[in-house]
Every structure is written in structure tokens, then in C-alpha cells.
Amino acid sequence: MTDPYSWIDDALNTIKRAHWYRHTKTLKGLPGPVINVEGETLINFASNDYLGLAGDERLISAAAEAVRQYGTGATGSRLLSGHREIHGELERAIARMKGTEDALVFSSGYLANLGTIAALVTRKDVILGDRYNHSSLKNGAKLSGATVYEYPHRNIEELTRLLQSHRNQYRHCLLITDSVFSMDGDLCPLPEMIGLADTYNCMLLVDEAHATGVLGATGAGCVEYYNCTGFPLIQIGTLSKAIGSLGGYVAGSAKTIDYLRNRAATWIYTTGLSPADTVAATTAIQIIEKEPWRRQKLWENVAFLKEGLKERNLLPSASPILCMEVAKPDQALSLSQRLQEAGIYAPAIRPPTVPTSRIRFSVMATHEKEHLKKLLCSLR
């Protein structure tokens, strides 16, 4: 008999020959700027924990108390037996932070994008998205059944042309974009996109995953950074990066959130966010509101590192994500390994995740100057 799974061996070998093969590395202990990776103590430049809250004792204590009070799981979907007052408290905290009427918490940011996009548009509609959008945005667009057009990265002229050519052929139109692009570090042209959404009668969904807690005067995100709070946007984000917990959210008008409670399948048909994650996220938002020095320290570290890397082949960035381009995947792997030997943890990012290989440095508020200096010295 033939083996119906034999093709997997060939597929894996193809991945390995292209230097695209990936595997996990086991970390021990609490997250932070210095970590233990498979027995090695390394300075961590691979974390999305931008404000250093994932290992904060206040989040840990709050999560532990939530487990004692509510148990380890929500035990059901929010519409059945899984809703607790702590979920409402978190959603109100997110809405306050984002300056919106309401918010809805999902079990992950990926689920938030899939469920929201598929609930907003159908096969009668059209979606226009940035070519560099996150996988969750792209797959949400596919799941919706809508016609999808991609425009070149941050290219407002081409987006305008697509709207002129196609908008009138469809019932609804949804523009989707990351606010901070996770593998480049640059920002979407949000004010221009708001103008186009208004001109062509489009909905606009912005994924604030890497901006929440980081950008803007209070850390509300890219929307606040561009002074666009209050515009009719749908804001999606994650609780697993600067918020230091787990889960995703959608923030927007009260009617939009009410609609999603009734139509977003990835919220309706999944267990509610665990008590520990819920309370940890609420605690993190409170800390972000009370401790702006964390964000200030983060941007001081970003500025210091960018100055030291200015002679390198650094992609344009307006975030704590700094990417140094490398010509080939095998060269990126080699450079990452040499950095690890020097005590720096900065994994290589390769196709198909990105169009060109790179080393991606994620800066944290809890990095000390000596950590940054060691990275610069190692690269020299």
C-alpha cells in the first residue's frame, strides 16, 4: 500500500534546502530583557513584551488571585456560561484606553481579525488590503468570501486607483491594514486612509497589535499617534504584546460591538478568555495609564539603538521593531547564530514570512543601556 503522507518528507526537504526550516527553542524562567534559551543566558531582542510587563509581579499576583477566585478556565462561551464581570471590566478598560464607545475581548488577536472581518463583509463585498498585512488579516479576508485586492505596501496612489476602479461594483467595501507592520516596523498612512474611506464610503479596520501600549501620548496606539481618535474606525489589537497577557480585542462604536457579539463566529463559538489572562490584561492597562515612564524609557532605548545602527542596512521604522536586511536566508541564519554566540538572542526572519531575509530586533523598556551597547558591539 502507498503511504498517503509520503509527500510530507519531500515538502520538508524542500523547506530545508531553501533555508526556511524552523523549529522551537525552549526558554526557561520569567520573560524579560535577559532570558535562558536552552541553557544559554542571552540578551533578548526577540520579544514583543515592549513595556516589560509580562514578568511584572503585579500581573502575576493579579492572575494568581483571579485563578483562586474564578478557577483556571471560563468553562464556556461568553454567551452561555463563560461570561464574568472581569470580562466586562477589561472591555471597559480597553474602550477607555482606545477612546471608543465599547470593546469586545476575543481569545486571541488572530481570532479577533478572523471573526470581525468575516462578520463585516461577504461575497457581495470587496476588501482592499496592504500587501504586507499580517496573516490574520489576510486569512480573515479569505474567510469572508469577499473579493480581495492587495495594494503595494503603503501605496496610497494605488489604493486610490483600486477604489476608483472597483468600489462601485460592490455593496460594502472594507479597507484593512496593520498600523505598525510587524516585520518592518513602519506605520500605515492612516490619515490618508481615513480620507479615502470617507470619500469612497468604506469601512476601515486597523490592526493595532504592535502599537497598543507603545504609540501615542497615552499609549493608546497608532490611531492616537496620528490624532485620529474619534474617527469611525474599527480597531483590533492583541493583549499578548505590550499588555503582557493573552487575547485580542475589537474596539469601536457601540453598535459595531453589539453586532459582533451576534455575528462574530470566533467569539460566539469559543470559550471565553481565561480569568488569569483577563485580570492580568486589566492590571497591565492600569499600569500603562499610571506609569508613562515605561513608554518614555522604551523610546529612549529605540533612539539609542537606531543611532548606533544608522550605518547598517536598516529598514525604515517608527516603532520599537528594527529590522536589518540580509541578502539571503542562509546568511541571516549565520548572522543570528554568530549573535547568539556573542550573547544576543535575535532570530533570523526569512521567507515566506517576509519577502526578504532580515534580523529583527525588538526593543523593550526594560533593556538597560549595557544590553544595547553589547548588541552594537557584537554587530561591529
Side-chain angles (χ1 to χ4, degrees):
M1 292 180 64
T2 59
D3 179 4
Y5 304 99
S6 60
W7 64 269
I8 295 177
D9 291 324
D10 292 336
L12 283 171
N13 287 331
T14 299
I15 292 170
K16 290 175 181 177
R17 284 196 300 271
H19 301 284
W20 290 6
Y21 185 74
R22 295 159 172 80
H23 64 279
T24 58
K25 293 186 178 182
T26 303
L27 277 65
K28 297 180 180 179
L30 290 174
V34 179
I35 52 175
N36 184 292
V37 183
E38 297 182 338
E40 286 187 83
T41 300
L42 303 172
I43 300 172
N44 184 13
F45 285 98
S47 175
N48 295 323
D49 183 22
Y50 299 116
L51 300 179
L53 291 175
D56 190 284
E57 183 56 41
R58 290 166 291 182
L59 270 68
I60 295 170
S61 297
E65 178 56 33
V67 170
R68 283 190 288 268
Q69 186 171 350
Y70 299 103
T72 56
T75 76
S77 67
R78 293 273 299 279
L79 290 176
L80 295 179
S81 62
H83 180 72
R84 304 288 187 273
E85 176 57 28
I86 53 176
H87 292 115
E89 291 172 359
L90 174 56
E91 287 165 348
R92 288 189 290 274
I94 292 169
R96 182 181 68 247
M97 181 187 198
K98 300 296 293 181
T100 61
E101 292 178 348
D102 206 352
L104 189 64
V105 170
F106 288 68
S107 296
S108 75
Y110 208 111
L111 290 176
N113 271 328
L114 292 183
T116 300
I117 295 170
L120 291 173
V121 290
T122 68
R123 58 185 178 83
K124 297 179 181 179
D125 307 316
V126 64
I127 294 174
L128 281 72
D130 192 292
R131 187 171 294 163
Y132 285 8
N133 276 346
H134 188 263
S135 167
S136 58
L137 290 168
K138 290 174 178 282
N139 284 333
K142 292 176 184 176
L143 183 64
S144 73
T147 300
V148 180
Y149 294 98
E150 287 191 342
Y151 56 89
H153 183 49
R154 301 182 74 252
N155 191 321
I156 287 295
E157 290 76 16
E158 181 61 16
L159 174 56
T160 303
R161 190 194 69 77
L162 287 170
L163 284 167
Q164 290 170 344
S165 300
H166 302 290
R167 174 63 188 98
N168 289 335
Q169 302 171 27
Y170 298 90
R171 180 186 59 172
H172 301 313
C173 178
L174 176 66
L175 310 181
I176 58 174
T177 184
D178 284 299
S179 63
V180 175
F181 291 91
S182 62
M183 292 299 159
D184 291 75
D186 53 352
L187 309 185
C188 73
L190 184 60
E192 292 88 344
M193 295 189 72
I194 289 174
L196 289 176
D198 181 59
T199 300
Y200 291 94
N201 190 29
C202 304
M203 297 177 286
L204 174 56
L205 184 151
V206 182
D207 187 337
E208 293 268 59
H210 290 271
T212 303
V214 173
L215 286 171
T218 68
C222 193
V223 174
E224 182 184 51
Y225 172 83
Y226 278 124
N227 295 315
C228 293
T229 303
F231 283 85
L233 309 172
I234 300 163
Q235 300 183 52
I236 289 185
T238 180
L239 306 172
S240 63
K241 295 180 172 55
I243 304 295
S245 181
L246 182 68
Y249 69 82
V250 182
S253 67
K255 67 180 180 182
T256 300
I257 299 304
D258 196 26
Y259 174 79
L260 291 175
R261 287 193 194 98
N262 288 275
R263 283 291 182 266
T266 58
W267 185 83
I268 296 169
Y269 299 109
T270 193
T271 302
L273 195 63
S274 77
D277 294 320
T278 302
V279 173
T282 304
T283 303
I285 292 173
Q286 293 167 350
I287 292 172
I288 290 170
E289 291 172 338
K290 295 176 182 177
E291 298 182 358
W293 63 263
R294 289 180 176 272
R295 203 162 46 257
Q296 180 180 346
K297 178 70 169 10
L298 171 65
W299 287 107
E300 288 174 359
N301 286 346
V302 170
F304 181 86
L305 200 54
K306 285 180 79 171
E307 176 64 24
L309 291 171
K310 65 182 181 181
E311 302 301 325
R312 299 282 175 172
N313 192 22
L314 206 64
L315 292 173
S317 172
S319 74
I321 300 167
L322 305 178
C323 295
M324 190 171 71
E325 278 198 299
V326 182
K328 298 178 181 179
D330 58 330
Q331 293 174 342
L333 287 169
S334 175
L335 177 56
S336 176
Q337 180 58 39
R338 288 161 60 195
L339 284 170
Q340 185 164 334
E341 291 167 1
I344 303 294
Y345 188 56
I349 309 296
R350 294 157 287 153
T353 304
V354 288
T356 57
S357 297
R358 65 203 60 185
I359 302 295
R360 178 178 181 266
F361 304 109
S362 292
V363 188
M364 300 168 63
T366 44
H367 278 132
E368 301 295 337
K369 280 292 189 293
E370 291 307 312
H371 299 151
L372 308 179
K373 290 177 180 178
K374 184 169 183 177
L375 170 59
L376 295 175
C377 182
S378 300
L379 285 169
R380 294 191 190 104

